[in-house]
Amino acid sequence: MDYKEALAYIHGVEFFGSKPGLTRIGELLEKLGNPQKGMRFIHIAGTNGKGSCAAMTASVLKAAGYRTGLYTSPYLYRFNERMQINGKEIPDDVLAEIVTRVKPIAEAMADHPTEFELMTAIALLWYKQEACDVVVLEVGLGGRFDATNIIDAPEAAVIMNIGLDHTAVLGDTVEQIAFEKAGIIKPGTEAVLFQQSESVTDVVRRRCEELGVSLHIADFSQIKSEFDSLYGQSFSYRGEVYALPLLGSHQLKNAAVVLELVEVLRGRGWKLEQGDVEHGLYAVHWPGRFELVSEEPLFVVDGGHNPQCAQTVRENLLHYFPDKRRILLLGILRDKDYAGLTEILDGAADEYICITPDSPRALPAAELADFLKRYNKAVAVCESIRDGVSLALDRSDDESVVCAVGSLYSVGEIRACFEKY
């Protein structure tokens, strides 16, 4: 099959839904020769920050000379973004070739794999085929029963910031969610944890103690901001200075986790020179996370989609643009906590423009606008994402900033509206 047919097949199994469990992915990979066996992984779970952590980690490992796979979701522009090696996406013809191999095996299974399970198998086959030295593997949902957890003990299991998201599947307390995410910790690995509440930390610590796994927790008191602007920031952690192109104090915390991970990997024999670590952080590319896509007018894009993300976006808007009129271009998925998200964002909003994200789960713009009327601010509804961007630009001036937020499913099309991207 060709590339278009391959994508059509992958997306066509979406009706199987999300079914947690490792039975299907295990059977599929076994029939494919268990490509994950013998490979080395960094496994990353968490509610927020896991994508940024994965991107930074992959950039550092690449800078150190390792052939590094990166598996993330969702994508902004093209499906192929989910699977990369040393910053380059899987080629169309290679994807088609691997799907051609996987499809008959998947279709012969009594319990057909889900879309995410197919994607995970395809990625693992490619990384094996390309002889990656290491793969940075981002969990899709949860951890314990996520398809990526089919791997043996990784070099390190990283747990990022945990909050309330996907509660129908993972549980309705942060402790329950932490338990699910801590399921990626296995005997023989080492665990790295984003510094957070004691109750969450206790859940992860107990898991590590049960399995005899060392736990390393980032110490945010060791972070010192050295320079901060709309074009990047520099900071010190445990006395060493680094530069980072990503904006926001939350990214310094994410970077601190990566630096703890670096120490773990060094202790396990990985050669990670200080200069390579510095270069890896400086060179990281992770679009759509409080990203400035236009200076005139000021326009920021962020894929934040839950209350924790909203708090970060609010803090960043107030920090970087304290005296600007803030126009929020807002599009949200119906199954997200949009009440909690908008309640937080409203503290940094002067007016709203509503759009509908490109997803069957999207909350229609008109419905969102009706909900936002409770805040007694100007609210506009746009038929398309591009119309929303155009209206936001029309309403902006030297005294304002536009922030597009609410869903990663809108980010690609919004960024595409700016010619230099």
Side-chain angles (χ1 to χ4, degrees):
M1 66 179 72
D2 62 20
Y3 174 70
K4 288 185 178 180
E5 291 169 332
L7 284 189
Y9 171 65
I10 293 170
H11 296 320
V13 301
E14 190 175 10
F15 68 89
F16 287 106
S18 175
K19 298 183 289 187
L22 302 178
T23 304
R24 289 174 304 278
I25 185 69
E27 179 183 345
L28 178 59
L29 289 174
E30 184 174 359
K31 293 177 184 298
L32 291 166
N34 280 320
Q36 79 280 10
K37 296 291 185 181
M39 294 176 65
R40 296 195 287 182
F41 297 94
I42 311 295
H43 205 184
I44 303 175
T47 307
N48 297 310
K50 63 182 183 291
S52 295
C53 176
M56 291 185 211
T57 301
S59 187
V60 166
L61 289 164
K62 177 191 172 191
Y66 293 104
R67 186 166 177 76
T68 306
L70 176 63
Y71 183 62
T72 59
S73 59
Y75 61 89
L76 301 186
Y77 293 108
R78 303 182 74 239
F79 175 87
N80 305 47
E81 293 169 32
R82 293 175 178 265
M83 309 166 194
Q84 301 181 26
I85 296 176
N86 283 357
K88 295 184 178 178
E89 300 168 10
I90 184 171
D92 292 357
D93 59 337
V94 175
L95 179 65
E97 173 192 324
I98 295 176
V99 174
T100 300
R101 178 181 168 191
V102 171
K103 180 181 177 182
I105 295 172
E107 293 195 329
M109 290 171 54
D111 190 3
H112 196 291
T114 66
E115 182 180 20
F116 187 73
E117 289 165 349
L118 280 178
M119 291 187 296
T120 301
I122 292 162
L124 291 171
L125 277 170
W126 184 49
Y127 299 137
K128 184 75 166 189
Q129 187 174 296
E130 291 295 318
C132 286
D133 296 315
V134 61
V135 175
V136 181
L137 203 59
E138 180 189 344
V139 166
L141 175 64
R144 186 163 60 115
F145 293 126
D146 186 75
T148 61
N149 207 29
I150 195 64
I151 63 171
D152 293 331
E155 292 293 296
V158 182
I159 311 292
M160 296 300 290
N161 201 7
I162 291 176
L164 294 175
D165 203 1
H166 302 291
T167 53
V169 178
L170 303 179
D172 56 9
T173 70
V174 289
E175 292 79 17
Q176 287 176 308
I177 294 173
F179 175 80
E180 293 299 326
K181 295 184 186 299
I184 69 169
I185 301 171
K186 302 180 176 75
T189 190
E190 293 187 53
V192 181
L193 179 64
F194 185 102
Q195 182 183 322
Q196 49 200 300
S197 71
E198 195 58 39
S199 63
V200 167
T201 302
D202 285 345
V203 171
V204 177
R205 185 179 285 117
R206 282 197 300 272
R207 171 74 175 176
C208 289
E209 289 173 352
E210 289 168 3
L211 301 178
V213 168
S214 298
L215 176 61
H216 310 260
I217 305 175
D219 183 355
F220 296 157
S221 72
Q222 294 292 317
I223 299 172
K224 180 182 177 184
S225 176
E226 303 285 346
F227 172 80
D228 188 14
S229 78
L230 285 173
Y231 309 102
Q233 53 188 327
S234 63
F235 69 102
S236 63
Y237 185 69
R238 301 195 187 278
E240 298 286 349
V241 178
Y242 306 90
L244 193 66
L246 307 179
L247 305 183
S249 61
H250 66 295
Q251 293 293 7
L252 301 188
K253 294 177 180 179
N254 293 338
V257 176
V258 174
L259 293 170
E260 291 296 330
L261 170 61
V262 164
E263 290 304 314
V264 168
L265 294 176
R266 283 171 171 164
R268 294 173 72 93
W270 291 76
K271 187 177 179 182
L272 298 169
E273 302 291 346
Q274 186 62 20
D276 295 330
V277 176
E278 293 171 8
H279 177 71
L281 289 181
Y282 178 75
V284 68
H285 180 63
W286 195 233
R289 281 74 178 179
F290 209 80
E291 177 190 16
L292 183 69
V293 295
S294 171
E295 295 179 46
E296 294 182 1
L298 289 167
F299 199 114
V300 174
V301 177
D302 190 279
H305 54 271
N306 59 40
Q308 264 189 315
C309 296
Q311 185 62 41
T312 295
V313 171
R314 172 177 167 165
E315 290 171 1
N316 285 341
L317 285 171
L318 296 175
H319 172 69
Y320 288 108
F321 310 104
D323 302 318
K324 298 290 187 183
R325 181 171 57 91
R326 292 175 288 267
I327 304 167
L328 265 58
L329 180 62
L330 198 58
I332 305 175
L333 300 187
R334 184 184 293 279
D335 56 6
K336 297 299 180 181
D337 178 11
Y338 58 86
L341 185 149
T342 56
E343 181 69 27
I344 294 168
L345 285 176
D346 189 63
D350 292 300
E351 65 176 282
Y352 295 100
I353 298 172
C354 298
I355 54 175
T356 306
D358 183 16
S359 168
R361 293 152 49 207
L363 181 69
E367 196 171 328
L368 175 60
D370 284 341
F371 182 83
L372 291 173
K373 287 176 182 177
R374 68 188 59 199
Y375 299 121
N376 298 313
K377 294 174 181 174
V379 181
V381 176
C382 289
E383 290 294 318
S384 70
I385 291 175
R386 286 186 174 271
D387 287 346
V389 172
S390 295
L391 181 59
L393 293 175
D394 287 343
R395 292 193 175 181
S396 61
D397 54 30
D398 292 342
E399 303 303 316
S400 64
V401 58
V402 179
C403 178
V405 64
S407 175
L408 277 167
Y409 289 92
S410 304
V411 169
E413 188 169 349
I414 291 170
R415 289 179 88 248
C417 293
F418 297 86
E419 289 184 359
K420 61 181 179 179
Y421 289 87

